[in-house]
Amino acid sequence: MSDRPAPLEIPRHILEEIYREARNAFPAECCGWLAGPKDGSAVTVVRQCVNAQESGTHPTTPDRSAETAYVFTGEDLIALNRSFDTDEPALAIYHSHPNGRAYLSPTDLTVATSPWGDGPAYPVQQLVIGINARHVVEAALFAWSDEDNGFIEIARYQGAEI
């Protein structure tokens, strides 16, 4: 029997809000998190964050630009951590890929995984939006699988002409 994680319920209007954010940030990556009720699986809130990649504070790729990487500001990272003690905790971290593809890159995997290699860095799913100069191509949702000892794709979403 598989321990395949269940995907979050992400309403289309929430996806489209993130898609618009990705369009506004393009060609840079956008980033943030999705939140919802503590004991639920439905996303109700989009929390946009500042992509501070240009500050050079990325833990693994400080030399890359905001067009190829993202990092939360210290304030956003503190707010993310504090959210776990609220009634509407973070359920997923999201970011965009301006190359039009929705996947977890090697850098994404490194940052999303505990530095001890024993699970996810945060108890959240990961949503990646693939966008290009013409439209949002697709989005994909990933979750930690103990069975696979890594992140696996659990849902894929249609893009939009945004």
Side-chain angles (χ1 to χ4, degrees), residues 4 31 51-55 63 73 76 87 113 125 127 144:
R4 186 173 177 86
C31 59
N51 181 350
Q53 178 62 30
E54 302 296 339
S55 70
D63 55 328
T73 64
D76 285 334
D87 290 334
T113 304
Q125 295 181 8
L127 179 68
W144 183 264

Side-chain angles (χ1 to χ4, degrees), residues 71-139:
V71 66
F72 289 170
T73 64
E75 294 82 13
D76 285 334
L77 199 54
I78 290 168
L80 171 71
N81 281 285
R82 286 185 176 153
S83 82
F84 297 120
D85 294 325
T86 69
D87 290 334
E88 279 191 333
L91 301 174
I93 291 174
Y94 70 86
H95 74 282
S96 61
H97 282 175
N99 65 9
R101 298 180 359 230
Y103 63 99
L104 282 176
S105 72
T107 300
D108 295 337
L109 288 168
T110 297
V111 173
T113 304
S114 161
W116 297 275
D118 60 351
Y122 292 99
V124 298
Q125 295 181 8
Q126 300 283 328
L127 179 68
V128 183
I129 300 91
I131 185 169
N132 63 28
R134 295 185 314 276
H135 61 276
V136 175
V137 178
E138 62 188 356

Side-chain angles (χ1 to χ4, degrees), residues 131-159:
I131 185 169
N132 63 28
R134 295 185 314 276
H135 61 276
V136 175
V137 178
E138 62 188 356
L141 187 64
F142 303 86
W144 183 264
S145 165
D146 287 332
E147 183 177 305
D148 294 291
N149 194 35
F151 283 93
I152 60 169
E153 183 176 318
I154 57 171
R156 190 156 281 266
Y157 306 93
Q158 183 177 6

